[in-house]
Amino acid sequence: MLYYLFNYLDQQFDLPGAGMFKFISFRASVAAILSLLISLFIGKRIINFLKAKQIGESIRVLGPESHFSKKGTPTMGGIIILVAILIPTLLMAKVPMYRDWE
């Protein structure tokens, strides 16, 4: 989505550096960095939220004693991965518009 914004800024106002968004290597590297930042900053909040809602690992009594230290660990950590992948992908991808299909 940002591709079209910076393409417009490059064509209309000749904004320096706006042409970098045309290169997929630049967009991929920005998406990777943005994904890392999202997982670092939002990840801790999601884990704390899941702990507050008591969404955690339940340990069987018959299991090994080493597993008791995992009690209360959030089991939905994949949410962090999904958020960290989807947001940069939607921002940095060149999503084909309907007019591009013709």
Side-chain angles (χ1 to χ4, degrees):
M1 300 307 244
L2 290 178
Y3 173 83
Y4 294 106
L5 172 66
F6 281 99
N7 191 22
Y8 173 77
L9 292 174
D10 188 34
Q11 290 175 354
Q12 297 297 322
F13 304 109
D14 197 26
L15 186 70
M20 292 294 292
F21 271 82
K22 292 180 183 177
F23 299 107
I24 193 165
S25 57
F26 176 75
R27 289 181 297 172
S29 60
V30 169
I33 293 169
L34 187 59
S35 178
L36 175 67
L37 293 175
I38 287 172
S39 64
L40 285 175
F41 292 117
I42 295 179
K44 187 66 174 173
R45 291 183 181 154
I46 291 175
I47 290 172
N48 290 336
F49 174 76
L50 292 174
K51 282 185 179 180
K53 295 292 182 183
Q54 297 179 349
I55 301 173
E57 188 72 33
S58 61
I59 306 298
R60 294 184 304 165
V61 179
L62 301 174
E65 289 185 24
S66 62
H67 287 197
F68 290 123
S69 64
K70 296 180 181 181
K71 185 176 182 181
T73 302
T75 57
M76 297 175 61
I79 293 174
I80 300 168
I81 296 170
L82 290 176
V83 168
I85 290 172
L86 287 176
I87 291 174
T89 300
L90 292 174
L91 285 176
M92 297 298 156
K94 180 182 173 185
V95 180
M97 299 291 182
Y98 178 72
R99 65 178 182 270
D100 294 338
W101 295 343
E102 296 173 350

